[in-house]
Amino acid sequence: MHGVSQPKVLISRERIASRIAEMGSQITTDFSGEAVLFVGVLKGAAIFLSDLARQVHLDASFDFIGVSSYGNRPSPSQELKGGWDSTGEVRLTKDVDQSMRDRNVILVEDILDTGLTMTYLKKLFLGHQPRSLKIATLLDKPSRRKQNIQADYVGFAIPDEFVVGYGLDYAERYRNLPDVCVLPRE
Ligand code: IMP
């Protein structure tokens, strides 16, 4: 299939569901009695946000933000070989619709990789003066980090593999796979 081998399951849908239930309980406890605003990073976080939010039993709102990376962000085949780097220039393609001022904002991301996107978004969001700002990510690749940034809620730490499914893509494909899968390198 386009020179790409079949995806292999890394994290099953059952493990994802059970971990998200734990994350949702944690968020429910941490913000007990308060309202939260989930802000998902398009497009990868859409599926995670919708599952996570349904495990959070609080007064909640949703919003979405879009970003893209400038510079030498790679072609998909470079990504797959793992031999790529971003310049760190992140650009906003869609802003939030709601005010974040004085609200408990939870930034929801599919994967925290080099940390460049999250570092950019964190700074941007703090400028909107939220009451609090937390980061929730389904996946974390700590070995790839270039910026010193951590998420407050992490689903799974994974090795340096290119993953797809459950919202994550390879050239816009595979987002609808129910499990997180690895695309084997050629
Ligand atoms: P960062 O700015 O390097 O932390 O990159 C975060 C973004 O890179 C994520 O939101 C994904 O869009 C993309 N990304 C990083 N690693 C992967 C992967 O293994 N599969 C799919 N997308 C990835």
Side-chain angles (χ1 to χ4, degrees), residues 40-57:
V41 184
L42 292 170
K43 303 167 207 168
I47 292 176
F48 175 44
L49 186 150
S50 65
D51 281 349
L52 179 65
R54 283 179 289 175
Q55 298 295 332
V56 172
H57 307 296

Side-chain angles (χ1 to χ4, degrees), residues 6-23:
Q6 278 298 102
K8 292 194 175 60
V9 175
L10 179 68
I11 308 171
S12 69
R13 63 200 79 178
E14 293 83 8
R15 284 180 66 205
I16 295 170
S18 114
R19 181 71 190 116
I20 289 177
E22 291 173 358
M23 296 171 85

Side-chain angles (χ1 to χ4, degrees), residues 82-151:
W84 55 272
D85 278 304
S86 160
T87 57
E89 293 175 73
V90 181
R91 178 172 63 99
L92 207 60
T93 57
K94 185 215 166 289
D95 207 347
V96 285
D97 300 326
Q98 306 173 42
S99 170
M100 291 190 245
R101 197 184 177 92
D102 208 26
R103 299 176 76 179
N104 296 310
V105 176
I106 302 177
L107 179 50
V108 182
E109 179 61 302
D110 51 359
I111 186 164
L112 188 50
D113 186 29
T114 64
L116 296 169
T117 308
M118 272 300 153
T119 301
Y120 169 84
L121 288 177
K122 190 174 177 183
K123 191 170 167 208
L124 184 77
F125 280 28
L126 287 174
H128 289 283
Q129 298 178 281
R131 180 198 299 264
S132 65
L133 177 62
K134 300 285 183 199
I135 297 172
T137 187
L138 178 70
L139 303 172
D140 187 7
K141 280 190 207 171
S143 63
R144 295 250 319 152
R145 202 76 91 249
K146 288 188 175 162
Q147 297 281 331
N148 183 20
I149 187 161
Q150 267 87 46

